[in-house]
Amino acid sequence: MMRHLKLVLVITALPALLGGCAAPLVASGSPEWDAQFGERVRILQAQQLIDAQAPVRNAQTIPASDGRNTRDAMDRLGESYRSPPPTNVINIGVGGGGG
């Protein structure tokens, strides 16, 4: 019985011990990966930007709306949450039961 227990113990501990030996091999690629971390994201962001100078060039443009229109729009939005319009719900064959 004791021999069987030792064998089971060795078999279960062996993968953990070998995994510790393999860790330095896997970590050796990390400095190369760390040096390029985020590079793909920066490339994709640069490709999606059409005109990087647009905010600077258009800084002096007049807004399409004034403060009064914006305030009224926000008031209407808030009111729509306080008293939403009634909804029409049609349930067809949901939760039946009579059979």
Side-chain angles (χ1 to χ4, degrees):
M1 180 70 179
M2 187 60 112
R3 184 176 174 169
H4 180 68
L5 182 61
K6 286 181 183 178
L7 180 64
V8 169
L9 186 62
V10 168
I11 289 175
T12 55
L14 191 60
L17 293 174
L18 290 177
C21 295
L25 297 176
V26 173
S28 67
S30 183
E32 293 87 15
W33 296 337
D34 290 345
Q36 298 173 3
F37 186 76
E39 185 64 27
R40 298 287 182 185
V41 173
R42 286 188 287 276
I43 290 171
L44 288 173
Q45 285 177 339
Q47 288 174 346
Q48 291 176 6
L49 188 63
I50 294 173
D51 185 6
Q53 295 302 317
V56 175
R57 244 190 353 265
N58 298 324
Q60 300 301 321
T61 59
I62 300 171
S65 161
D66 62 352
R68 182 180 297 161
N69 289 340
T70 305
R71 185 189 64 220
D72 291 343
M74 290 303 297
D75 289 343
R76 286 191 305 271
L77 177 67
E79 186 60 35
S80 73
Y81 282 106
R82 281 190 284 282
S83 58
T87 58
N88 295 328
V89 178
I90 301 173
N91 291 328
I92 300 175
V94 176

